[in-house]
């Protein structure tokens, strides 16, 4: 999740555990602890792919954060002994552990069990979702205005947690909705990713991969009886095979669970993470190699410039979420003319 959300979660947990004893100051302590694991973004691992896939790595590992919580609890106890070591440990443990657990509900990929096991990406909530964050912020603001309003931060935590639970239920409902349509289209056992569209859990995007084709479906809870629209995208499996022996390509395949789109521009072979963003506005594209006659030359990966954000997209996403626009063409992020299929 975004830094504001993690800080709000950390502050809320700190207020719930130690607000009556330490007052307003504990919210700042919780907010700092809540953003601590994301400091790994300052580390340069040498290449763009390494930086991308190592983020949310060791700093989000339960094997690292659990002992770190003990150390920090001891230091904080020595600093402010009016709170017992056990209470400090509850505070640091809850904040440090919930940070990666919350991240794992997003699509990016959180290495909860680093250095073993694949990244965890439940994909039930967008990285920025106001309906999750606002209850936490409201509880913290009420606490600041009338300390020690422990019940306010607990209420904020309860509402946000219930919303996170709703996201899991919504994801399962959408999954069951799209699977029959995919099977009817000939995709009987595709690799399937179902995730919310930006900033909400009412409108969802399903991405299915099978062979040399990719199918995208956008559907939501306010669609009524609108039939599902399947949008087809070709896959360059020849390029995937061409770079399959490259360590950085293998690393990307592992990190994204194969949800990559390969393309060649000029002599450059590139891979795009199609999980994040939307078609035409995927933020993570990496150059992996260059063509050299009949072969390829590996290159130290680098990231291509981030696509410009279409300022009209938010309004279109809103109209699609509410059902006012029944079909949204992801390829161009536009509403098709009547009778036109994407």
């Amino acid at each position: 999740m975004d830094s504001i959300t993690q800080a709000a979660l950390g502050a809320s947990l700190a207020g719930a555990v130690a607000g009556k004893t330490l007052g307003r100051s504990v919210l700042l302590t919780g907010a700092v602890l809540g953003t601590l694991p994301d400091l790994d973004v300052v580390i340069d691992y040498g290449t763009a792919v390494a930086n991308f896939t190592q983020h949310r790595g060791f700093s989000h590992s339960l094997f690292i954060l659990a002992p770190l919580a003990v150390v920090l609890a001891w230091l904080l106890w020595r600093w402010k002994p009016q709170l017992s070591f056990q209470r400090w440990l509850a505070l640091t443990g809850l904040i440090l552990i919930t940070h990666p657990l919350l991240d794992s509900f997003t699509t990016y990929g959180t290495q909860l069990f680093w250095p073993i096991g694949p990244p965890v990406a439940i994909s039930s909530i967008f990285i920025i979702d106001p309906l999750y964050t606002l209850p936490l912020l409201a509880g913290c603001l009420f606490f600041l205005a009338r300390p020690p309003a422990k019940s306010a931060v607990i209420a904020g935590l309860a509402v946000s947690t219930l919303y996170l639970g709703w996201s899991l239920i919504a994801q399962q409902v959408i999954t069951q909705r799209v699977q029959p349509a995919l099977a009817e289209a000939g995709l009987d056992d595709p690799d399937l990713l179902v995730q919310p569209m930006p900033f909400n859990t009412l409108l969802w995007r399903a991405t299915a991969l099978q062979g040399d084709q990719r199918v995208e479906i956008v559907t939501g809870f306010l669609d009524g009886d609108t039939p599902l629209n399947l949008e087809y995208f070709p896959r360059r499996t020849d390029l995937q095979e061409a770079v399959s022996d490259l360590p950085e390509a293998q690393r990307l395949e592992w990190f994204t669970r194969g949800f990559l789109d390969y393309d060649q521009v000029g002599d450059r072979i590139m891979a795009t993470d199609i999980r994040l963003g939307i078609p035409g506005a995927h933020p993570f594209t990496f150059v992996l190699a260059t063509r050299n006659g009949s072969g390829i030359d590996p290159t130290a990966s680098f990231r291509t410039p981030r696509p410009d954000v279409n300022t009209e997209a938010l309004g279109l996403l809103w109209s699609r979420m509410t059902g006012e626009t029944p079909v949204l063409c992801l390829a161009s992020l536009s509403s098709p003319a009547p009778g036109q299929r994407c």
Side-chain angles (χ1 to χ4, degrees):
M1 297 294 282
D2 62 285
S3 296
I4 293 176
T5 300
Q6 292 289 7
L9 177 60
S12 298
L13 289 168
V17 172
K20 285 189 176 180
T21 304
L22 299 180
R24 291 187 180 96
S25 65
V26 79
L27 296 190
L28 178 60
T29 302
V32 171
L33 288 173
T35 57
L36 186 62
D38 284 337
L39 293 180
D40 66 333
V41 296
V42 305
I43 302 174
D44 184 0
Y45 292 97
T47 69
V49 167
N51 290 337
F52 176 63
T53 60
Q54 298 282 11
H55 177 48
R56 297 193 187 177
F58 78 92
S59 69
H60 287 59
S61 171
L62 301 181
F63 298 137
I64 300 296
L65 293 176
L68 178 62
V70 177
V71 173
L72 290 176
W74 184 82
L75 292 173
L76 290 167
W77 173 57
R78 295 296 299 269
W79 175 45
K80 289 190 175 182
Q82 61 264 44
L83 194 69
S84 69
F85 172 75
Q86 290 78 9
R87 293 284 294 281
W88 274 121
L89 183 58
L91 185 149
T92 58
L94 281 171
I95 294 173
L96 291 181
I97 297 303
T98 55
H99 178 119
L101 290 179
L102 177 58
D103 276 347
S104 70
F105 280 83
T106 68
T107 301
Y108 188 92
T110 305
Q111 297 174 58
L112 290 179
F113 307 107
W114 181 95
I116 60 175
V120 178
I122 298 171
S123 304
S124 69
I125 194 168
F126 191 67
I127 192 172
I128 301 174
D129 192 320
L131 290 182
Y132 180 85
T133 308
L134 288 176
L136 298 174
L137 291 175
C140 290
L141 289 174
F142 196 89
F143 185 98
L144 290 172
R146 300 180 61 182
K150 182 177 178 179
S151 59
V153 292
I154 292 177
L157 286 166
V159 172
S160 289
T161 302
L162 287 172
Y163 182 73
L164 197 61
W166 148 253
S167 75
L168 293 172
I169 296 171
Q171 185 184 47
Q172 290 305 308
V173 171
I174 297 298
T175 300
Q176 293 176 11
R177 179 185 297 181
V178 301
Q179 283 177 331
L182 292 171
E184 186 177 346
L187 283 77
D188 296 317
D189 188 27
D191 294 324
L192 180 61
L193 171 63
V194 177
Q195 61 178 321
M197 293 288 278
F199 316 126
N200 77 102
T201 52
L202 290 177
L203 186 65
W204 291 72
R205 170 190 169 209
T207 305
L209 306 179
Q210 187 167 301
D212 60 357
Q213 65 179 340
R214 170 174 125 236
V215 176
E216 299 273 4
I217 301 174
V218 176
T219 183
F221 286 94
L222 302 180
D223 283 357
D225 296 329
T226 303
L228 295 179
N229 181 72
L230 279 63
E231 197 168 350
Y232 292 83
F233 295 81
R235 298 182 69 207
R236 292 291 305 272
T237 54
D238 59 321
L239 295 177
Q240 179 183 6
E241 293 173 1
V243 297
S244 61
D245 291 333
L246 302 184
E248 291 209 305
Q250 294 171 355
R251 177 76 179 179
L252 275 178
E253 288 280 347
W254 170 79
F255 190 74
T256 65
R257 293 177 292 128
F259 282 86
L260 292 170
D261 181 43
Y262 292 88
D263 195 11
Q264 182 173 339
V265 178
D267 62 349
R268 292 176 171 177
I269 299 177
M270 303 181 295
T272 298
D273 184 345
I274 58 173
R275 305 170 305 157
L276 308 178
I278 52 179
H282 294 299
F284 293 101
T285 295
F286 304 94
V287 176
L288 301 179
T290 57
R291 283 285 190 188
N292 180 17
S294 59
I296 62 169
D297 291 327
T299 184
S301 63
F302 62 92
R303 183 180 168 188
T304 63
R306 189 187 188 106
D308 293 332
V309 176
N310 180 1
T311 56
E312 299 179 358
L314 290 179
L316 194 58
L317 285 174
W318 174 260
S319 66
R320 178 65 186 86
M321 182 181 71
T322 59
E324 180 182 348
T325 298
V327 176
L328 182 66
C329 289
L330 287 175
S332 58
L333 198 61
S334 64
S335 175
Q340 175 188 354
R341 284 188 63 85
C342 297

